[in-house]
Amino acid sequence: MTETVAVIGAGIGGLCTALTLAPTGRKVIILERDASPPSDDPDAVFHEWRHTGVGQLRQSHAFLARLRSIIKTEHPRLLEDLLALGVRELPFEAMLSEMQRETYEPTPDDAELTIITSRRTTLELAMRRYVEKLENVTIQSGFLVRQLLTRKGTDGVIDVLGVVGDSGGDEVMVNADVVVDASGKSGFIIDQVMKESANTSEEQESAGILYFTRHYRLRPGMDEPSRTENPPATGDLGFVKFGVFPGDNGCFSITLAIPEIEMELRKAILDPDIFHAMTLQLPGLKPWTNADRSDPVGRVHGMGDLISRWRELVVDGRPATHGYFALGDTLIRTNPLYGRGCSFAAASAQVLRQTLDESADPDVRALAFHERLHTELKPYYINQRTQDRSAIKRARQALTPDYRKSRRAKLMESFFEDGVGIAVRYDIALMREAMRGFHMLEHPNKWLGRPGNLAKVFYYWMRGKKRNAVAYPPKPGPERREMMQALSLDFQADIDRIAQAA
């Protein structure tokens, strides 16, 4: 008997679920609260699509190599569709320093490290149009799922039998063998499970940062700046992290990430003039946003409520539900700094397919899905959370005038900045291995734990800054005080606020 799978949400998580489960022959019904894209034109979709269920729709996006590999392997025609709409592929070579490019010799595995980058609206447009054509997949737009259709089992586990929602003003019931909750960070259906079952838990904490993005379009006849002749277009000054995301059809976006503790800067940055002026103070961004090369498009898009969150639907070996699987931001969230959200959703969908194909027993399914998520995704979650905690401390320390780093803190900082950072800028083989962790092709810390790699890092670290001088990138931007003064902002206000609260 063919299983029916109801998927809540047609964002990246829901579309990845359909892509993954469609080849199995299951009947997949995607229930989406918002209207479908209003056009097949990427520019019209960017400006006109009201996709309120995806708050990050106009933030910068990229598909890491893990997700690109899934698409290329299982749905090569989708990759062709993405490229036809103007979506970009950035190969491993584009990530190399100028010094590394001089001796670079490609290997067959380098192609695995290619990323996909574009406006999120264009990515979803291509994926949605492709999924709509799959024979056993149906997308019902304008369907707001209100609650799960449940039955309490004799063992206390909740049996999920489908969903109930509003469609065209009517209450509609959809029966399903499996319900996949891909409703995202704003989804509320999982709250019903966590309220009705004791076999759930949740940990969460702030990522300590807010995101601000503005889109730009290259002027007629202009190309993107050279990546070898200009300073790096990404950087971290402590009080701001910044990056350029090349987009589709002559577009690109700039994201500035501001620590929560920087109140003056985060309030001002929503002003388009302040945002643009800040990009011109950063050497890696100025070649992109200079008025001779590009024009800003629209307002500054802010995104807060950035938290790390891991929800468990199995506690002490007992599942909360049978037939219900949450994935993507609904279940697991990390700081989007490394762009892992979409890849988390895609990897979770693959885990779900493996789980459903392996057994029809609902108890076995619930436990296996839980265990595989821990194996596949927990290391990346912990890795990002650790970095967030460190960044939060550094941001506060930078606003504490009398703070002095301990000897151990200085040593660790030097190891990563003058050891790891320099080693991967020198050694292409090390860069390859580091990128495999970054792109979720292996455990994020595995490469550095290999004795040979660690020995190389120590070698470059022990050489000292003078001998490694050529590998250091140029200073990414001005000091905090200089930046604040250039923007006519009060650089002392947050320092005084923190001192008064101490």
Side-chain angles (χ1 to χ4, degrees), residues 82-103:
L82 287 163
L83 298 178
L85 276 182
V87 172
R88 306 273 299 283
E89 287 189 309
L90 297 182
F92 172 68
E93 183 179 358
M95 308 172 200
L96 300 178
S97 67
E98 183 176 1
M99 178 179 60
Q100 288 172 324
R101 288 192 181 97
E102 294 176 357
T103 60

Side-chain angles (χ1 to χ4, degrees), residues 128-342:
R128 177 115 172 198
R129 294 298 186 239
Y130 180 87
V131 167
E132 287 173 338
K133 297 175 183 177
L134 298 176
E135 288 187 4
N136 50 326
V137 177
T138 303
I139 301 180
Q140 295 186 24
S141 298
F143 192 112
L144 176 60
V145 176
R146 292 290 187 186
Q147 66 183 48
L148 298 172
L149 181 63
T150 63
R151 177 183 63 203
K152 197 80 168 184
T154 56
D155 55 358
V157 179
I158 301 169
D159 293 322
V160 176
L161 309 175
V163 301
V164 179
D166 298 335
S167 179
D170 298 323
E171 183 176 272
V172 179
M173 181 185 301
V174 176
N175 295 310
D177 301 294
V178 175
V179 173
V180 178
D181 190 347
S183 52
K185 60 182 285 189
S186 61
F188 56 87
I189 296 301
I190 194 172
D191 296 339
Q192 178 184 347
V193 175
M194 302 191 78
K195 181 179 180 180
E196 294 182 10
S197 174
N199 298 326
T200 66
S201 66
E202 176 181 324
E203 64 174 55
Q204 68 173 29
E205 59 186 72
S206 172
I209 205 166
L210 296 95
Y211 274 49
F212 302 90
T213 294
R214 197 176 193 194
H215 291 261
Y216 289 77
R217 183 183 289 277
L218 294 170
R219 304 192 76 180
M222 296 302 296
D223 296 322
E224 293 177 353
S226 167
R227 286 178 171 78
T228 59
E229 298 174 4
N230 293 291
T234 60
D236 183 356
L237 288 167
F239 64 91
V240 60
K241 296 177 175 64
F242 62 88
V244 172
F245 291 77
D248 57 280
N249 300 295
C251 297
F252 64 91
S253 62
I254 303 288
T255 291
L256 304 177
I258 311 294
E260 288 180 342
I261 203 168
E262 290 279 359
M263 295 293 295
E264 295 300 307
L265 188 54
R266 60 183 260 200
K267 287 187 296 184
I269 203 68
L270 282 169
D271 182 329
D273 292 335
I274 294 290
F275 185 100
H276 186 70
M278 193 168 181
T279 68
L280 297 178
Q281 293 293 316
L282 298 167
L285 300 188
K286 185 176 179 179
W288 290 79
T289 63
N290 189 294
D292 293 336
R293 187 181 299 274
S294 66
D295 296 309
V297 178
R299 65 181 179 88
V300 177
H301 300 274
M303 183 169 66
D305 187 32
L306 300 181
I307 62 171
S308 294
R309 180 177 67 198
W310 187 280
R311 285 169 164 165
E312 303 279 17
L313 299 184
V314 173
V315 174
D316 295 330
R318 291 180 54 81
T321 65
H322 289 151
Y324 171 86
F325 301 90
L327 53 76
D329 283 352
T330 310
L331 192 69
I332 306 165
R333 288 175 60 187
T334 64
N335 183 341
L337 183 65
Y338 285 172
R340 286 174 173 158
C342 294

Side-chain angles (χ1 to χ4, degrees), residues 56-61 120 211-213 255 301-303:
Q56 67 272 36
L57 187 69
R58 289 174 177 83
Q59 294 293 329
S60 299
H61 275 78
R120 163 84 179 237
Y211 274 49
F212 302 90
T213 294
T255 291
H301 300 274
M303 183 169 66

